[in-house]
Amino acid sequence: MTKQNFTNWLLFVVLSIVWGSSFILMKKSAEHLNGLQIGATRIFAAGVSFLPWAILHVSKFPFRKLGVVALTGLFGNFLPALLFASAIKGNGESSLASILNSLTPLFVIVIGVLFFKSKVQGRKIAGVLIGFIGLVILSLLRGPVSANDYGLILILIATVGYGLTVNLVSNYLKGIDGFKIASVSLAIMAIPATIIMWQQNVFGILQYDEDARWSIIIACLLGIVGSAIATALYYILIQRAGGLFASLVTYAIPIVAMFWGLLAHEHITSIQIACLTLILAGVYIASITPSSKKVND
């Protein structure tokens, strides 16, 4: 294994552990906070922690790229943070959320083909179909539709945002350091996050509600580690190894999240595991190029 490949896989493992652990942390935050409060606090903490570097980098940033950078923050961090936290608050199943998150590489391919003129092979189309079959089975076998099933839609919207973000970084932000992209985009997103925190009275809760204070601290930890640091590493991995390889981090995220879910006594069924296997098989088929030894775009 070359030094470059070793570094890529090291980034891959670190991101898997960090993001796989974020789902159970969101569930802990949800004990005293709602989805909007968790998501906004997370992005606020991420943006503030990166603010000094954002101020340093923004003046050196190509002005015509700032709009794209803001979009990566919106679709890759801000909206998913709100959507995932709201979904977990609604149904309480952090492991299921991580399973559905594994559809991200499929959306990377679909959005790339539809909007970025990416070339697609027959095996990738087959992978997309297999992955969606797994999702459909997972949804149907969970039982009748209930009021909490809106969380499924929220997570799907978030994964579409992730797929769009990967394509934006891969196509429009080549050659720009991943740390710069993350710091500027998250600092911009801290503005709407602050507005939501004020509207949701997070600052008042932090001051007067001792029980909820720990939930806010956990959400801040999610922001600093799971959003700020992890996003920078993710963008670096996209630029080093390609968008599809980077999105394969979602292969390992459910395994880590399900491990934490078991420790938290979540109910994980054999059906969920079987559907996860089917979804990941589809992602694997869709993402791996047989003619190349290196997974790339």
Side-chain angles (χ1 to χ4, degrees), residues 40-54:
T41 302
R42 177 176 182 172
I43 298 304
F44 172 81
V48 170
S49 65
F50 268 177
L51 185 59
W53 290 276

Side-chain angles (χ1 to χ4, degrees), residues 21-280:
S21 302
S22 69
F23 291 94
I24 196 65
L25 291 177
M26 278 188 278
K27 184 176 179 179
K28 290 295 182 182
S29 290
E31 292 177 359
H32 297 285
L33 301 175
N34 63 41
L36 290 177
Q37 291 169 334
I38 297 169
T41 302
R42 177 176 182 172
I43 298 304
F44 172 81
V48 170
S49 65
F50 268 177
L51 185 59
W53 290 276
I55 294 174
L56 177 65
H57 293 144
V58 71
S59 61
K60 303 175 183 179
F61 223 89
F63 181 77
R64 59 189 177 86
K65 299 287 188 179
L66 285 177
V68 178
V69 171
L71 288 178
T72 64
L74 177 64
F75 292 109
N77 294 104
F78 183 73
L79 291 179
L82 299 178
L83 293 170
F84 268 100
S86 297
I88 291 176
K89 177 68 176 181
N91 60 32
E93 290 291 339
S94 61
S95 56
L96 177 59
S98 69
I99 290 173
L100 296 177
N101 186 51
S102 66
L103 286 168
T104 295
L106 300 177
F107 286 119
V108 170
I109 295 171
V110 171
I111 292 174
V113 171
L114 293 179
F115 301 103
F116 295 89
K117 299 181 180 179
S118 299
K119 296 181 179 180
V120 61
Q121 299 173 343
R123 65 182 284 126
K124 293 186 177 182
I125 297 176
V128 171
L129 294 177
I130 291 172
F132 275 105
I133 289 173
L135 172 63
V136 170
I137 295 175
L138 178 65
S139 302
L140 293 177
L141 294 182
R142 287 180 62 222
V145 176
S146 67
N148 288 334
D149 282 339
Y150 77 93
L152 174 66
I153 299 175
L154 297 182
I155 294 173
L156 287 178
I157 294 173
T159 55
V160 171
Y162 288 146
L164 175 60
T165 300
V166 170
N167 279 286
L168 288 173
V169 174
S170 298
N171 288 276
Y172 296 128
L173 299 177
K174 291 180 179 179
I176 300 177
D177 182 73
F179 183 79
K180 293 181 180 179
I181 298 172
S183 61
V184 174
S185 64
L186 285 169
I188 294 173
M189 289 301 107
I191 298 173
T194 303
I195 296 173
I196 293 178
M197 289 179 68
W198 173 78
Q199 191 272 332
Q200 293 288 315
N201 195 35
V202 174
F203 299 108
I205 293 173
L206 180 63
Q207 186 175 0
Y208 298 110
D209 191 332
E210 184 174 351
D211 292 332
R213 193 173 298 157
W214 282 107
S215 293
I216 294 174
I217 292 173
I218 292 173
C220 289
L221 177 63
L222 271 169
I224 295 171
V225 180
S227 291
I229 297 175
T231 297
L233 295 178
Y234 188 54
Y235 290 163
I236 291 171
L237 183 59
I238 290 174
Q239 294 172 337
R240 287 177 58 91
L244 287 179
F245 179 82
S247 68
L248 297 183
V249 167
T250 54
Y251 277 21
I253 286 175
I255 299 173
V256 177
M258 290 176 72
F259 169 78
W260 287 112
L262 287 172
L263 292 182
H265 306 292
E266 287 189 359
H267 181 60
I268 300 174
T269 67
S270 58
I271 292 176
Q272 288 181 348
I273 296 174
C275 290
L276 169 62
T277 302
L278 188 59
I279 291 171
L280 295 184

